[in-house]
Amino acid sequence: TEGNYCFWQILCTQDFACPTWARWYYGGLNFHYTHHLFPTMPREYFHIVTPHVQKLCEKHGVPFVEIGFIDCVVGMVTNFNDVRKEFSNHGSGSLALMYT
């Protein structure tokens, strides 16, 4: 699995549930796996391709995570808060050190 682009895209992202009528507002980001696997694909096709991605994940034992919308928002706000705390405790320099 080391160096496998598709595998790492699945492990590092997740989809979130979204009503069909609201898909346009999220620009296809609710289909995050498909967006990362096929970055040049128009978002109008994500809902068609995603079930195939999910079947492939199941076939190969790779986790396919789809969380609820509220859980997604709570997770983002929690992450933003964690980053804010990191910046307030250590300043932006600590993040720069992590990536150099």
Side-chain angles (χ1 to χ4, degrees), residues 13-20 22-39 41-48 50 66:
T13 59
Q14 63 187 8
D15 282 4
F16 67 89
C18 177
T20 303
R23 286 181 186 162
W24 182 86
Y25 294 105
Y26 299 108
L29 292 179
N30 53 309
F31 298 111
H32 220 81
Y33 291 127
T34 305
H35 165 72
H36 277 261
L37 291 171
F38 309 103
M41 178 185 290
R43 66 183 178 147
E44 292 82 18
Y45 299 107
F46 288 172
H47 73 282
I48 297 168
T50 296
E66 181 180 65

Side-chain angles (χ1 to χ4, degrees), residues 14-84:
Q14 63 187 8
D15 282 4
F16 67 89
C18 177
T20 303
W21 61 267
R23 286 181 186 162
W24 182 86
Y25 294 105
Y26 299 108
L29 292 179
N30 53 309
F31 298 111
H32 220 81
Y33 291 127
T34 305
H35 165 72
H36 277 261
L37 291 171
F38 309 103
T40 60
M41 178 185 290
R43 66 183 178 147
E44 292 82 18
Y45 299 107
F46 288 172
H47 73 282
I48 297 168
V49 174
T50 296
H52 298 288
V53 171
Q54 186 173 11
K55 287 177 187 174
L56 279 170
C57 288
E58 290 170 2
K59 177 181 176 182
H60 295 286
V62 177
F64 185 98
V65 178
E66 181 180 65
I67 63 173
F69 176 74
I70 298 298
D71 291 333
C72 179
V73 172
V74 169
M76 287 189 310
V77 170
T78 301
N79 184 56
F80 292 155
N81 191 43
D82 291 345
V83 170
R84 179 196 59 80

